[in-house]
Amino acid sequence: MNSKNKKVAQALLDGRIDIQEIDDRLFAVMLLSMTGGLELNKQKLDEKEKLRLSSYLVSEVFGLMGNSPEVFDYRLHDMNYLVKISKLLEKAFAKKEFYKNMVENEDE
């Protein structure tokens, strides 16, 4: 386990990180991506506003996990990390398409 993971694991054990807070934010991001016509404070959110809100919630998750702005900045400039994330996105997209096709085939 790398030192970052050890720090997060220890923070979890110490109760300094609340998994429920992280889970709630990630669920909210998922919900934002799945809903159309969502209203908050009697205002309908357009796609740009939903994306901004999702980004904000994800940044809160990073903060709750002990990441600093410096960590985020480092990751933006670390080519190895960006390649890793690119592969993760490609894999997630492929899985999404696979499940989408399965659902469409079941509906036929």
Side-chain angles (χ1 to χ4, degrees):
M1 184 182 298
N2 69 33
S3 63
K4 170 67 178 152
N5 291 345
K6 286 180 184 177
K7 287 180 186 178
V8 171
Q10 190 58 51
L12 282 167
L13 291 172
D14 295 344
R16 292 177 289 158
I17 294 178
D18 184 349
I19 288 292
Q20 190 61 52
E21 286 187 44
I22 293 170
D23 185 69
D24 290 346
R25 283 161 179 78
L26 293 175
F27 181 81
V29 169
M30 184 183 70
L31 186 64
L32 281 170
S33 72
M34 296 173 62
T35 57
L38 183 64
E39 287 189 19
L40 291 176
N41 298 327
K42 298 183 182 180
Q43 292 182 340
K44 188 173 180 178
L45 298 179
D46 63 22
E47 291 303 312
K48 192 173 183 178
E49 289 167 323
K50 288 178 14 178
L51 182 60
R52 283 186 184 147
L53 188 52
S54 292
S55 295
Y56 177 79
L57 289 165
V58 169
S59 71
E60 283 191 337
V61 168
F62 279 118
L64 287 168
M65 292 175 53
N67 288 302
S68 66
E70 291 81 19
V71 170
F72 183 71
D73 189 54
Y74 172 77
R75 287 179 176 174
L76 284 175
H77 296 94
D78 179 355
M79 290 310 296
N80 290 330
Y81 188 76
L82 294 175
V83 167
K84 175 184 171 184
I85 296 305
S86 177
K87 288 179 182 177
L88 173 71
L89 291 171
E90 287 174 7
K91 191 175 180 181
F93 181 77
K95 282 183 179 178
K96 178 193 74 80
E97 290 299 306
F98 174 76
Y99 291 122
K100 177 182 167 189
N101 290 334
M102 280 181 48
V103 170
E104 288 173 354
N105 289 336
E106 287 179 5
D107 291 340
E108 293 176 355

